[in-house]
Amino acid sequence: MLVLRLLNVVAPAYFLCISLVTFVLQIFVFIPSMFRDPSTTSLFSPALLHGALFLFLSANALGNYVLVIQNSPEDLGKDLNLGKGAEVADWLDGSRSPGSALPGTHFCRLCARVTQRHDHHCFFTGNCIGSRNMRNFIMFCLYTSLACLHSLVAGMAYISAILSMSFVDPLAFLTLLPHSISQFFSGALLSSEMFVILMLYLWLGIGLACAGFCCHQMLLILRGQTRYQVRKGMLVRARPWRENLQEVFGKKWLLGLFIPVQNTESSYRRQKEK
């Protein structure tokens, strides 16, 4: 548990550091290097287009990241006066009252709360993902993967111009890292250039991981399931996939694709208000 609590602090700090480094490289290194191309006009220069696109992707990624943290899943244990800590965990496990656990609820020991439609605990946000912040979490994964892909393309363009190399051959990117390491230790490659090359592979890994996680979450949503239900082998009521999407993304889903907006209220709260 101590290791998990430590990871709950280190992972968000790691993400924020990577975001800061990416922002600095894009604004102060990659984009200024694009202004040196004399063949383009100042109005439609690649620097302005890439800069606007990067700011749009970054604003959506960080905006949804903040909303995931702010829109924490509801603490049902507080609303239902179930107690705290181990008492709530025993109640949900059925050790105190067999068969009395609420369906679709889960007690997270890291967050110390009982959540409705619990999916998983995200260490990079330090928060549980449930019905209230699922849409923002998916948008966060989507725009993080797109921002990493954009940074990867801009970084490859910068490296190809600095080192006078071409990435037309797919094997050029695979052999870039070992070749760069040998050049770095021989003194033929600057430390700043080596750092950018390492960031290329980091952006590739983060981008692919976030894209795969986003696709996996969308598949579960279409089925009306959560990761916790799949892991525990719980059965869910079969519903049309349109209803499952609307429950997570709401009716104004198109707005959430372009602007970080607050997630819709959970089905538990709507039922409680009724």
Side-chain angles (χ1 to χ4, degrees), residues 172-189:
F173 185 79
L174 298 178
T175 59
L176 175 62
L177 183 60
H179 182 66
S180 301
I181 292 177
S182 61
Q183 284 189 329
F184 174 73
F185 284 105
S186 63
L189 193 66

Side-chain angles (χ1 to χ4, degrees), residues 57 61 138-151 203 206-212 214:
L57 298 176
I138 293 178
M139 290 296 101
F140 160 68
C141 292
L142 174 62
Y143 279 103
T144 299
S145 63
L146 293 178
C148 288
L149 177 62
H150 178 270
S151 301
W203 288 325
I206 296 177
L208 292 178
C210 290
C214 182

Side-chain angles (χ1 to χ4, degrees), residues 185-199:
F185 284 105
S186 63
L189 193 66
L190 298 177
S191 58
S192 59
E193 299 171 348
M194 186 65 200
F195 179 76
V196 173
I197 293 175
L198 293 176
M199 289 299 299

Side-chain angles (χ1 to χ4, degrees), residues 104-244:
T105 57
H106 172 70
F107 176 75
C108 179
R109 298 184 180 276
L110 292 176
C111 295
R113 67 164 67 98
V114 183
T115 60
Q116 178 78 3
R117 287 192 61 82
H118 175 85
D119 189 85
H120 69 284
H121 182 88
C122 177
F123 289 98
F124 284 97
T125 60
N127 199 8
C128 280
I129 307 300
S131 57
R132 294 185 62 186
N133 54 7
M134 175 58 72
R135 182 179 68 176
N136 297 120
F137 176 75
I138 293 178
M139 290 296 101
F140 160 68
C141 292
L142 174 62
Y143 279 103
T144 299
S145 63
L146 293 178
C148 288
L149 177 62
H150 178 270
S151 301
L152 176 63
V153 173
M156 291 174 62
Y158 174 79
I159 290 297
S160 63
I162 294 298
L163 302 182
S164 300
M165 61 180 302
S166 175
F167 289 98
V168 177
D169 186 4
L171 295 178
F173 185 79
L174 298 178
T175 59
L176 175 62
L177 183 60
H179 182 66
S180 301
I181 292 177
S182 61
Q183 284 189 329
F184 174 73
F185 284 105
S186 63
L189 193 66
L190 298 177
S191 58
S192 59
E193 299 171 348
M194 186 65 200
F195 179 76
V196 173
I197 293 175
L198 293 176
M199 289 299 299
L200 294 181
Y201 290 91
L202 185 60
W203 288 325
L204 177 63
I206 296 177
L208 292 178
C210 290
F213 202 87
C214 182
C215 294
H216 178 65
Q217 290 294 136
M218 286 299 301
L219 180 61
L220 292 178
I221 290 175
L222 291 175
R223 295 175 178 176
Q225 295 177 310
T226 63
R227 290 184 60 192
Y228 178 75
Q229 292 173 341
V230 173
R231 188 169 64 251
K232 295 296 183 179
M234 299 178 179
L235 298 178
V236 296
R237 182 170 58 91
R239 295 188 308 176
W241 60 271
R242 294 181 182 272
E243 294 184 8
N244 296 328

Side-chain angles (χ1 to χ4, degrees), residues 60 64 135-136 139 143 252-261:
N60 276 275
N64 284 285
R135 182 179 68 176
N136 297 120
M139 290 296 101
Y143 279 103
K252 300 180 180 180
W253 59 270
L254 186 60
L255 182 63
L257 291 178
F258 301 99
I259 302 176
V261 293

Side-chain angles (χ1 to χ4, degrees), residues 16-33 54-55 58 62 151 154 158 195-196 199 203:
L16 293 177
C17 289
I18 294 297
S19 301
L20 179 61
V21 171
T22 302
F23 182 82
V24 171
L25 288 177
Q26 284 274 13
I27 300 300
F28 297 102
V29 179
F30 298 159
I31 294 178
S33 65
F54 173 72
L55 292 178
S58 300
L62 294 178
S151 301
Y158 174 79
F195 179 76
V196 173
M199 289 299 299
W203 288 325

